[in-house]
Amino acid sequence: PYPITVCRPKTYGGYPESRTKYKTGSIASLVFLVEMDGEHKPPDSSLGHAEEIWRLEGQQGHVPRNLRMCLKLIEFTKPEVIIQPPGWQTTLHPRANITLSMYAIGCHTLSSARLLLVPRSHVGDCG
């Protein structure tokens, strides 16, 4: 897509041109200026610690809080739905009931979703 063009690298032995062809919507950028503190150089004690990244309770330093914000912004660039299937049988019969868990990532609200089961052999990029 414009303005991204096909790349033809020659350094380091190059790589296939097919790896530089991008689909519309597959490249995005987002720029934010995050002000950590009113002071130009806040005290080290206000920066936080690595273990604060994964917990929300208690005091939060500037770095863990802003890192979590960046991770959330990365999720928003490409929302996805993750489905965790139960241990279902290899063969499903038409109109059979199944139970699964579905999680929306990269959005605030998932208003509706439709699940379509397709045989793996019919999907080219299904790993």
Side-chain angles (χ1 to χ4, degrees), residues 112-123:
S112 67
R114 179 181 289 173
L115 176 64
L116 177 64
L117 293 175
V118 178
R120 186 177 297 261
S121 60
H122 290 107
V123 181

Side-chain angles (χ1 to χ4, degrees), residues 18-48:
S18 62
R19 291 185 58 200
T20 68
K21 293 181 181 176
Y22 303 99
K23 296 178 183 175
T24 301
S26 64
I27 298 177
S29 67
L30 188 61
V31 178
F32 275 88
L33 170 63
V34 178
E35 298 285 347
M36 287 185 17
D37 196 272
E39 298 180 37
H40 181 67
K41 185 178 183 325
D44 289 348
S45 61
S46 71
L47 298 180

Side-chain angles (χ1 to χ4, degrees), residues 5 21-22 24 38 47 50 53 55 57 68 76 91 102 114-115 123 125:
T5 59
K21 293 181 181 176
Y22 303 99
T24 301
L47 298 180
I53 294 170
R55 67 170 199 246
E57 69 279 348
R68 280 196 308 276
F76 283 147
T91 304
M102 183 172 71
R114 179 181 289 173
L115 176 64
V123 181
D125 63 350

Side-chain angles (χ1 to χ4, degrees), residues 3-25:
I4 307 299
T5 59
V6 174
C7 180
R8 294 176 179 86
K10 294 180 177 30
T11 55
Y12 303 107
Y15 55 89
E17 184 178 300
S18 62
R19 291 185 58 200
T20 68
K21 293 181 181 176
Y22 303 99
K23 296 178 183 175
T24 301

Side-chain angles (χ1 to χ4, degrees), residues 79-85 100-107 110 113:
E80 295 190 35
V81 173
I82 295 176
I83 298 186
Q84 293 183 330
L100 49 85
S101 298
M102 183 172 71
Y103 303 94
I105 295 175
C107 60
L110 179 64

